[in-house]
Amino acid sequence: MAAIPQEISQLLLKWSKGDEVAHDRLIQLVYPELRRLARKYMRREDPAHTLQTSALINEAYLRLVDQPNTEWHDRAHFFAVAAQVMRHILIDHARSHHYAKRGGGAPHIALDDVAVVNQERAAEFVALDDALRSLTEVDPRKSRIVELRFFGGLTVAETAEVMKLSEITVKREWRAAKAWLLRDISGDAA
């Protein structure tokens, strides 16, 4: 199993250079991980919800392969971008359903519960996105860590690798970012 991340990284480099055989093999290796990420977002979703897991995976994959001149560095870079793409798809979906901006009076929620995008949670998801945008203005590094950890499902070690930081720094920044976002979402002054 340890060879797969290395193989994905090598295939990404080959695909960046136009190797279609590498692309075909890459699909076989990354699709299960994309499915895991999508399921993470959708697992508590109402079965009647209009955005299904397979649609999220397919849309994310189409957006990933449609990025011209992307030089993939490694597996972690690919999944970091995949997390960002999925986040944008989910936010666009929530916004398209005209949910209230900034939570619309939604109750205080835990950050780990926000990834559910059913009708009851869509406003909270939009509020998280708004708070994350605000955090980006204040501290882009913390915002990126949230994106990688929360939306991308990357581990502390993978996040540290992508961002070229120590694991201790990632843990510290992750805790601080969660606290900042919760204050922003709940409207408490810092």
Side-chain angles (χ1 to χ4, degrees), residues 50-130:
T50 58
L51 183 63
Q52 298 296 318
T53 303
S54 58
L56 178 58
I57 297 165
N58 292 335
E59 180 64 24
Y61 187 76
L62 288 173
R63 289 187 189 185
L64 286 166
V65 299
D66 195 34
Q67 295 189 30
N69 304 321
T70 301
E71 290 189 31
W72 301 106
H73 302 290
D74 55 24
R75 175 192 167 279
H77 177 229
F78 177 82
F79 286 113
V81 174
Q84 186 175 43
V85 167
M86 284 188 190
R87 172 181 165 232
H88 289 290
I89 292 167
L90 291 169
I91 293 301
D92 291 346
H93 181 75
R95 287 192 195 283
S96 74
H97 284 81
H98 306 290
Y99 294 111
K101 188 173 174 94
R102 302 291 298 162
H108 179 74
I109 43 97
L111 180 62
D112 292 335
D113 293 336
V114 180
V116 181
V117 191
N118 60 24
Q119 289 184 348
E120 294 81 28
R121 298 290 181 127
E124 296 161 355
F125 198 69
V126 171
L128 174 60
D129 183 61
D130 290 343

